[in-house]
Amino acid sequence: MATGASCYYHPAAAAARGSPSSPSLSLRPSGSKLFFISSGGSSRWWMRTRRCEGMASCGSISSSRARARPALFSPVVMEWQECSAEIEVDVPSSVAYQCYSERETIPQWMPFISSVKILEDKPDLSRWTLKYAILGQDVEFSWLARNMTPTKNQKIHWRSLEGLPNRGAVRFFPKSSSSCRVQLTVAYEVPEILTPVASALIPFSEGLLFNGLERFVAYAKEQYSKTLRS
């Protein structure tokens, strides 16, 4: 059994085996070890924090019983999803690029990003916080991101170093001397809390990205107007 996993009881699996006293165990990532033990009609939850290096050391499950059911354990592969949105902006691509480069202003037009803080000693790194109600659940995530080497007026891209795993890119395509198309692509690892609604996340996330880009259009046009007036 892998370190950092949790075991839990699956009633349907137990019934299928015809043995109500034998818990079905599965593997999930977890910071602590949570076991559900059922025996003789009684059941109880048991939380422990000791590292579980093997099936024989998981709670009261004996090594002989563990060896008898090796197929009950299977690793869970975390799911990654990618979503994108794009929009036309009536400003030059250089202006749109500059506006998006100012990371600490992003919460002004991307509603689900509550804060972005650039590290003073490492300006290519920034700490992000996301707070939003997603499909009926209030969620909050944070991460440390590194801005990769950009292509001026064409591409900004990043990847997370810690926290919520994610990566993405913003691309700027000139349409004329005074307009461009902005394309935003984000990939992220689906958080465990949102796994039950994973199938609905892509259209929901793409809607959020597009709404943010609509607000970005207004922001970029306002900044461009200020530049023309100065």
Side-chain angles (χ1 to χ4, degrees):
M1 180 173 180
T3 302
S6 62
C7 304
Y8 63 96
Y9 181 62
H10 194 302
R17 290 194 305 273
S19 176
S21 63
S22 300
S24 171
L25 303 177
S26 184
L27 189 73
R28 303 186 296 185
S30 174
S32 58
K33 314 300 179 294
L34 181 63
F35 300 91
F36 187 79
I37 308 299
S38 177
S39 178
S42 63
S43 60
R44 62 189 177 94
W45 287 103
W46 179 32
M47 177 72 75
R48 64 184 299 177
T49 56
R50 182 168 63 87
R51 293 171 64 88
C52 188
E53 301 295 345
M55 294 175 61
S57 64
C58 289
S60 59
I61 303 175
S62 68
S63 59
S64 60
R65 292 176 62 193
R67 286 193 298 270
R69 293 194 301 274
L72 297 178
F73 291 86
S74 59
V76 174
V77 178
M78 300 305 290
E79 179 181 356
W80 276 76
Q81 291 186 342
E82 182 176 290
C83 52
S84 62
E86 60 181 72
I87 200 167
E88 292 187 11
V89 192
D90 290 330
V91 302
S93 57
S94 58
V95 173
Y97 173 89
Q98 182 59 39
C99 289
Y100 215 112
S101 296
E102 298 168 354
R103 284 165 286 168
E104 292 187 338
T105 67
I106 289 178
Q108 294 183 32
W109 46 266
M110 192 64 82
F112 57 89
I113 300 297
S114 59
S115 68
V116 180
K117 180 64 176 177
I118 297 174
L119 275 60
E120 293 183 1
D121 56 337
K122 296 180 179 179
D124 61 323
L125 302 182
S126 51
R127 295 194 180 277
W128 296 60
T129 303
L130 178 155
K131 293 181 181 179
Y132 207 75
I134 300 179
L135 302 178
Q137 300 189 66
D138 293 324
V139 298
E140 178 176 345
F141 301 105
S142 61
W143 62 90
L144 177 68
R146 165 169 285 154
N147 266 33
M148 314 305 287
T149 303
T151 303
K152 188 174 181 179
N153 299 336
Q154 295 182 40
K155 180 182 177 182
I156 298 170
H157 57 132
W158 73 90
R159 63 181 178 88
S160 65
L161 301 179
E162 62 183 41
L164 178 67
N166 70 91
R167 58 183 179 268
V170 191
R171 294 175 173 84
F172 306 86
F173 303 93
K175 292 182 66 65
S176 70
S177 60
S178 59
S179 66
C180 65
R181 179 166 56 91
V182 178
Q183 181 187 71
L184 171 60
T185 302
V186 178
Y188 55 88
E189 184 180 274
V190 178
E192 185 175 0
I193 189 175
L194 297 177
T195 299
V197 293
S199 61
L201 281 181
I202 291 182
F204 179 82
S205 299
E206 289 185 337
L208 286 181
L209 294 183
F210 184 75
N211 290 340
L213 287 181
E214 286 185 315
R215 296 174 58 158
F216 174 75
V217 169
Y219 177 82
K221 291 173 68 174
E222 180 182 357
Q223 298 305 305
Y224 185 44
S225 297
K226 291 179 180 179
T227 301
L228 295 177
R229 291 195 300 265
S230 61

